[in-house]
């Protein structure tokens, strides 16, 4: 269902503003981080940013963001995640950082499987 919703959202031309992307990303982060008792800290305020964004770029950024959050959930012992997305010199800058440490697989020794 989530994949279907993501696909519908990606092609919905009414969701072509930066604020729409920001809202979608934060909804995903909140839903998944709260379940693991991880605090979400948002450093930007794009709620009223009506800057139009190309649908392909919007989808790419969203998928990168989802992967970053998923990796934090799987591999980090984080208690907080900081997210910052802003426009700098006509470019979108996205930063996702956590305060955790890498949770290593017991089968990994000295960086080798």
């Amino acid at each position: 269902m989530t994949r279907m919703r993501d696909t519908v959202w990606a092609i919905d031309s009414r969701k072509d503003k930066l604020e729409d992307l920001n809202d979608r990303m934060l909804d995903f982060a909140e839903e998944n981080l709260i379940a693991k008792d991880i605090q979400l800290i948002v450093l930007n305020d794009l709620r009223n940013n009506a800057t139009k964004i190309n649908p392909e770029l919007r989808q790419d950024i969203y998928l990168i963001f989802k992967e970053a959050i998923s990796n934090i959930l799987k591999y980090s012992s984080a208690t907080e995640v900081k997210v910052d997305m802003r426009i700098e010199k006509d470019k979108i800058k996205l930063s996702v950082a956590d305060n955790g440490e890498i949770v290593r697989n017991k089968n990994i020794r000295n960086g080798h499987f």
Side-chain angles (χ1 to χ4, degrees):
M1 268 319 250
T2 300
R3 286 185 195 168
M4 181 62 82
R5 278 184 270 144
D6 287 348
T7 302
V8 170
W9 173 82
I11 61 174
D12 187 348
S13 63
R14 296 172 297 167
K15 304 289 185 187
D16 63 351
K17 295 183 229 51
L18 195 54
E19 69 179 322
D20 297 319
L21 172 60
N22 187 64
D23 290 346
R24 181 78 172 171
M25 289 167 49
L26 296 181
D27 286 347
F28 175 82
E30 287 173 351
E31 178 180 317
N32 289 280
L33 295 174
I34 287 173
K36 295 279 189 164
D37 201 26
I38 300 173
Q39 180 184 9
L40 176 63
I41 300 167
V42 180
L43 302 174
N44 63 326
D45 186 9
L46 297 175
R47 286 178 290 181
N48 295 313
N49 192 319
T51 302
K52 299 266 184 176
I53 184 170
N54 174 303
E56 289 177 15
L57 177 60
R58 179 183 51 156
Q59 178 70 359
D60 290 345
I61 291 170
Y62 180 64
L63 292 174
I64 291 167
F65 179 79
K66 280 181 66 173
E67 184 68 17
I69 296 298
S70 296
N71 286 342
I72 289 168
L73 292 168
K74 288 180 190 175
Y75 305 116
S76 174
S77 59
T79 59
E80 70 178 35
V81 172
K82 292 180 182 176
V83 174
D84 187 13
M85 186 170 66
R86 61 186 67 237
I87 298 176
E88 290 183 0
K89 298 180 184 176
D90 295 330
K91 295 185 182 191
I92 296 173
K93 180 180 176 183
L94 172 64
S95 172
V96 179
D98 69 72
N99 68 342
E101 296 179 11
I102 296 173
V103 177
R104 297 203 179 267
N105 184 320
K106 292 179 183 178
N107 296 324
I108 299 174
R109 299 183 197 282
N110 300 324
H112 300 288
F113 291 93

